[in-house]
Amino acid sequence: MNKVKVSTEKGNTRILGLLGQLEKISLESALQDVDNVRHITSKLLHLVQTQERTKKDITAKGSTGIEVILATLENIHDLQTTLNILNILNELVSVGGGRRCGVLVSKGGSQILLQLLFTASKDSPANEEVMMQLQSIL
């Protein structure tokens, strides 16, 4: 198992802990613990929305935070968790400009988001909130 890497300055231990929990759940239980994943992504979303430093830490060079988030998005089949992650990604790219978008693309985010868009478009009826979030990020 790869260790989650995020800048280790004081104050980043919370984000590091949450990403570590998310990665551990992803690897060990194949995301069977949906309530816990939902709770962790909700906390991450709150941190991203309220602390600019968290956005920088997740997308920093050498950080695996975005990879953990994308892997969870790719493997989860829970609507609320999917929305939490899409909101996290939207927060990351909306203010950070080109560099954060570049990180998302370089980690395979475009492919994962397009696959999710394709899958979501097949749902009947399509979930408008998921579709809007995906369109906004892409």
Side-chain angles (χ1 to χ4, degrees), residues 5 8 15-17 19 23 34 55 60 72 86 95 109 118 120:
K5 295 178 188 170
T8 56
I15 188 76
L16 184 62
L19 289 169
E23 182 179 45
V34 175
K55 295 175 190 177
T72 305
L86 290 175
V95 178
F118 180 72

Side-chain angles (χ1 to χ4, degrees), residues 14-85:
R14 186 166 185 200
I15 188 76
L16 184 62
L18 290 171
L19 289 169
Q21 289 176 29
L22 194 58
E23 182 179 45
K24 184 177 179 184
I25 291 169
S26 297
L27 294 174
E28 291 180 0
S29 63
L31 300 173
Q32 299 293 325
D33 193 358
V34 175
D35 289 334
N36 199 16
V37 175
R38 190 179 299 152
H39 179 72
I40 293 167
T41 57
S42 176
K43 283 185 173 182
L44 282 171
L45 176 58
H46 174 72
L47 288 172
V48 167
Q49 288 174 331
T50 59
Q51 299 177 12
E52 180 62 29
R53 181 78 195 160
T54 300
K55 295 175 190 177
K56 291 178 183 176
D57 291 341
I58 291 174
T59 58
K61 191 177 250 182
S63 170
T64 58
I66 198 79
E67 292 166 325
V68 173
I69 292 169
L70 288 171
T72 305
L73 179 63
E74 190 173 27
N75 296 316
I76 195 70
H77 302 290
D78 173 62
L79 178 61
Q80 187 57 53
T81 303
T82 298
L83 289 170
N84 286 346
I85 293 173

Side-chain angles (χ1 to χ4, degrees), residues 5 55-70 89 92-93 96-113 137:
K5 295 178 188 170
K55 295 175 190 177
K56 291 178 183 176
D57 291 341
I58 291 174
T59 58
K61 191 177 250 182
S63 170
T64 58
I66 198 79
E67 292 166 325
V68 173
I69 292 169
L70 288 171
L89 294 174
L92 291 174
V93 299
R99 195 190 71 71
R100 289 186 187 160
C101 291
V103 170
L104 183 64
V105 170
S106 71
K107 303 294 182 180
S110 297
Q111 181 180 352
I112 293 167
L113 292 169
I137 296 166

